[in-house]
Amino acid sequence: MAEIVQHRIEERIPELEQLERVGLFTKKEVKSIIKRATALEYKLHRLVVNKEDFIAYIQYEINVLELTKKRRAHIHYQFKREEIEFPVIHRINSVFRRATNKWKDDVQLWLSHVAFCKKWVRNCLTICFKSLWIMAAKSELEDRSSSESARHLFLRTLRFHPDNKKVFQEYFRMELLHCEKLRKQKSELEKAEMDLVSFSPEILAGKLADVVYRDATAKIKEAEFVISLLNIAAIFDFTKELQDFILQDLQTNYTADSLTWDFMAKRELEAPGAGEELQTAKGRASDINRREERCCQVYEEGVKSLSAGRCSDTQGYFPKGNNHGLGLKFLQCEEKKKTFYFECRGSCINAEGAAGVATAATRRYSQSAAMWSLSLRTLMQLGSGDVGGLFQEALAHVNPKESLPLWQLQVQWSAASQSPEETDAVFQRGLLSAVAAVAMAIKESYLDWSYSTGGYKKARRNFTSLQENRPLSKAFFTRMIEIEKEQETPRMSSLRDYYERALQEFATSDDDLWLQYIQEELGPLGQPENCSKIHWRAMKFLEGPSVESFTSKYTLMQTGHL
């Protein structure tokens, strides 16, 4: 949770810097905003969230907007709205959406969102009204069992939003739910040998949903939208004919979209195998092999179909257009197939081709962390000699905020392939990262690696030096506690030092950390008389809902239920 909150706060830095730079807020006020925003962010990212926390967050952000507006008028400064107000407005809208998705029946919450949009984001107002229409239609169908009223509401909504994907998706789902309900009623009447109601064969076959589909795709001609309707239809067991029709439409009219090929390739990979063949391990392996081969064939066909021309250095695998996603999917498929052959046959199929694909991928999509990661894994398995240099090149091209998987992969490769001194140098570079998530993850890995290569003394020495360099994660401290407890004669004084240092970082929000500390004192190494002091300190430092959580868990622990 701390990593997520840290990331959210980092995203605010550009707008806060602008506020201070243009003279709308002082440095002290900016620090106050960061402190308050951090506390509010923590509340939104707990396992159990309250509506009041969302409302408090939204109200605080709106207060900042209002104050900014007044300060602008006071100093007659009307520039840089995109850098200052827009991120705040976007953030408020995002939190409103999370809240209304979680508490869909809270009309006041919806109306608050409408009022905010009306004042700050006028072109966003229709989104709120559209959501209210959908809620009303769902209520008619689910609560009042009135398909006619629900259908009428959806049709009225489409008058105002004639090309809205979400409305069509829910309308399509509603017709299928209505059809499913009628089929169940017919089945029950037949079992009771009653024939009091006449059911239309066309409606029972889902023809109304078919009409909605045709109307929707006439207005929205996007492969992603067609696939979303196909996925909805696949939920119902009576829609095989409708699914076949949608699939045929997708393959006929949307082959120019890479999403179509991606979807078709995944269908091949997920297709069920033959019954008898799956009875043996050899048969199952053969079935997996066959499905992976078919999947890769579809990806290759798709890339060739979308390609404006073949590139010699990519062996035709990557198109010249903007088909980054499909190229990545094909490379993933090749990687998976290659790994399968490693495991089942002990050798790599077309190793030279796989290396060529990996090298071409990193050249063509040099800013994609996912492509670099996948390509580097391929080259690592093939034993390529210049992997170390490629890692440096990857980190130079990729956005630092997306670089964590590359750092983790480099550490893994260096520990397995390089000398301890070279691996230590890799860790030292990672520890200097300006991205909090990277620095914290590298600290945790460095501690583990220190213990595995140099034992307890090296781990403790590195822990002592790293604990003063923020940001720090809870996992960094808990791992050192685990290392101490793994020793033949663990020292309680050291364990207390680790807990106390961890509490310097997480005392106000992490009730579990306080409870673990108490449990440690209740253990064979501890002094139970210290528990009351720790409990008192916890009640003093913890804030908000963490106090209630700590109290209930502590009670359970005292009664032996935790």
Side-chain angles (χ1 to χ4, degrees):
M1 182 174 75
E3 292 87 347
I4 298 173
V5 172
Q6 184 69 26
H7 177 67
R8 294 284 187 272
I9 297 302
E10 285 176 358
E11 288 179 335
R12 292 171 178 260
I13 290 175
E15 73 200 56
L16 294 173
E17 287 177 343
Q18 288 287 3
L19 284 170
E20 184 181 346
R21 188 177 298 119
V22 302
L24 290 170
F25 285 78
T26 65
K27 187 174 183 179
K28 184 178 180 181
E29 287 173 328
V30 168
K31 286 183 178 180
S32 176
I33 290 174
I34 292 174
K35 184 177 180 180
R36 179 63 176 152
T38 303
L40 291 168
E41 286 284 359
Y42 268 110
K43 290 181 179 180
L44 290 197
H45 291 88
R46 293 177 303 194
L47 291 176
V48 180
V49 293
N50 301 315
K51 190 192 319 180
E52 291 72 21
D53 294 335
F54 279 83
I55 294 171
Y57 185 104
I58 291 166
Q59 190 57 59
Y60 181 75
E61 293 283 21
I62 291 174
N63 291 344
V64 172
L65 274 179
E66 293 284 3
L67 184 56
T68 304
K69 183 179 178 180
K70 290 180 181 178
R71 295 270 178 92
R72 279 184 178 278
H74 181 68
I75 66 173
H76 305 289
Y77 183 84
Q78 303 301 328
F79 305 103
K80 295 189 177 293
R81 293 185 182 276
E82 289 186 4
E83 291 91 340
I84 296 173
E85 278 94 342
F86 284 13
V88 182
I89 292 169
H90 175 75
R91 196 157 52 240
I92 294 171
N93 259 319
S94 176
V95 176
F96 259 126
R97 282 194 293 271
R98 282 181 61 191
T100 50
N101 282 336
K102 188 170 183 61
W103 294 283
K104 294 183 176 65
D105 297 330
D106 191 324
V107 177
Q108 187 57 50
L109 196 59
W110 282 101
L111 293 176
S112 297
H113 194 186
V114 170
F116 172 77
C117 290
K118 186 176 180 180
K119 181 172 183 179
W120 295 97
V121 204
R122 297 182 189 279
N123 62 345
C124 184
L125 189 57
T126 55
I127 297 173
C128 302
F129 288 125
K130 173 207 70 179
S131 301
L132 290 170
W133 278 110
I134 293 173
M135 282 176 59
K138 283 185 171 184
S139 176
E140 288 294 334
L141 180 68
E142 297 170 3
D143 301 334
R144 301 188 180 185
S145 300
S146 176
S147 59
E148 284 298 325
S149 297
R151 188 177 296 114
H152 179 66
L153 282 169
F154 273 119
L155 291 172
R156 287 188 65 187
T157 310
L158 288 169
R159 285 175 57 193
F160 297 101
H161 309 281
D163 55 357
N164 187 275
K165 297 176 189 177
K166 182 65 175 175
V167 175
F168 270 118
Q169 288 165 345
E170 294 301 330
Y171 186 16
F172 184 69
R173 191 194 310 273
M174 186 278 292
E175 291 293 3
L176 290 172
L177 285 168
H178 174 55
C179 181
E180 182 181 52
K181 182 179 178 181
L182 291 179
R183 291 171 70 90
K184 287 181 179 178
Q185 287 179 357
K186 183 174 183 293
S187 175
E188 289 170 0
L189 289 172
E190 287 174 350
K191 287 179 182 179
E193 298 181 355
M194 297 173 65
D195 192 18
L196 302 177
V197 182
S198 176
F199 294 92
S200 167
E202 289 79 9
I203 293 178
L204 291 175
K207 292 300 180 183
L208 288 176
D210 183 273
V211 171
V212 175
Y213 172 80
R214 291 173 188 271
D215 186 30
T217 52
K219 295 174 180 174
I220 306 171
K221 299 181 181 297
E222 297 178 12
E224 183 180 15
F225 178 62
V226 173
I227 292 169
S228 72
L229 296 180
L230 179 56
N231 289 334
I232 291 171
I235 298 170
F236 301 88
D237 57 10
F238 57 86
T239 59
K240 186 180 184 308
E241 184 178 338
L242 178 60
Q243 289 183 61
D244 291 342
F245 173 75
I246 298 174
L247 196 60
Q248 183 63 40
D249 185 29
L250 185 67
Q251 292 174 309
T252 304
N253 299 316
Y254 299 92
T255 51
D257 195 318
S258 61
L259 287 174
T260 299
W261 294 100
D262 184 31
F263 178 78
M264 297 305 300
K266 287 176 179 176
R267 278 179 65 89
E268 294 291 349
L269 191 63
E270 296 164 2
E276 292 185 4
E277 188 181 44
L278 300 180
Q279 299 301 316
T280 64
K282 185 177 180 180
R284 288 191 293 273
S286 176
D287 175 63
I288 293 172
N289 184 17
R290 186 165 50 252
R291 284 188 280 123
E292 289 179 344
E293 288 286 354
R294 286 200 300 264
C295 173
C296 291
Q297 287 170 8
V298 173
Y299 274 128
E300 187 167 12
E301 183 184 350
V303 173
K304 288 177 180 177
S305 173
L306 293 167
S307 179
R310 296 169 67 90
C311 303
S312 59
D313 65 337
T314 62
Q315 303 178 7
Y317 293 150
F318 298 102
K320 290 182 178 177
N322 295 321
N323 298 304
H324 175 179
L326 194 65
L328 176 58
K329 294 293 184 182
F330 178 66
L331 185 60
Q332 288 175 330
C333 183
E334 286 294 299
E335 173 72 8
K336 188 170 184 180
K337 182 173 72 173
K338 180 173 66 61
T339 303
F340 174 81
Y341 273 88
F342 275 142
E343 294 175 351
C344 297
R345 300 184 181 179
S347 62
C348 173
I349 182 171
N350 195 11
E352 185 179 350
V357 171
T359 304
T362 56
R363 283 200 295 269
R364 186 167 290 276
Y365 311 118
S366 61
Q367 294 182 335
S368 168
M371 187 67 86
W372 272 108
S373 180
L374 192 56
S375 299
L376 286 164
R377 285 183 187 279
T378 302
L379 295 171
M380 283 164 58
Q381 290 186 349
L382 295 173
S384 177
D386 193 32
V387 174
L390 288 173
F391 271 115
Q392 298 309 308
E393 186 180 345
L395 291 169
H397 283 87
V398 170
N399 185 335
K401 291 182 179 180
E402 301 173 1
S403 65
L404 178 56
L406 292 175
W407 279 108
Q408 292 172 326
L409 189 61
Q410 185 178 16
V411 164
Q412 175 189 334
W413 167 79
S414 182
S417 309
Q418 294 187 299
S419 67
E421 292 75 16
E422 290 171 311
T423 303
D424 193 274
V426 171
F427 276 116
Q428 294 301 328
R429 290 196 298 271
L431 292 171
L432 296 175
S433 173
V435 180
V438 173
M440 288 191 290
I442 293 298
K443 282 187 181 77
E444 295 163 22
S445 299
Y446 191 30
L447 188 61
D448 260 330
W449 178 79
S450 300
Y451 183 50
S452 62
T453 57
Y456 173 76
K457 288 185 178 180
K458 183 176 181 180
R460 182 175 169 82
R461 184 171 63 251
N462 286 334
F463 171 82
T464 302
S465 65
L466 292 173
Q467 68 174 336
E468 301 305 325
N469 300 325
R470 292 185 175 87
L472 298 163
S473 66
K474 179 183 173 182
F476 174 70
F477 294 103
T478 54
R479 180 59 186 132
M480 192 61 221
I481 290 169
E482 290 170 3
I483 290 172
E484 183 67 46
K485 292 166 76 172
E486 287 172 9
Q487 306 312 303
E488 282 188 23
T489 54
R491 292 180 293 180
M492 189 63 199
S493 59
S494 296
L495 290 173
R496 289 192 186 101
D497 289 342
Y498 304 146
Y499 276 111
E500 291 294 340
R501 182 62 188 87
L503 287 170
Q504 289 179 28
E505 303 293 324
F506 308 104
T508 60
S509 59
D510 199 321
D511 52 296
D512 286 333
L513 187 60
W514 286 104
L515 289 165
Q516 289 166 16
Y517 193 3
I518 291 172
Q519 287 175 323
E520 208 72 68
E521 290 290 4
L522 291 172
L525 299 174
Q527 296 177 345
E529 59 269 23
N530 290 339
C531 293
S532 59
K533 295 178 184 177
I534 299 172
H535 178 271
W536 179 84
R537 290 172 60 205
M539 296 298 291
K540 179 181 177 182
F541 282 103
L542 286 170
E543 297 176 352
S546 297
V547 178
E548 184 179 346
S549 175
F550 173 78
T551 303
S552 18
K553 289 178 183 176
Y554 183 72
T555 304
L556 289 172
M557 187 175 70
Q558 284 185 311
T559 57
H561 293 91
L562 184 66

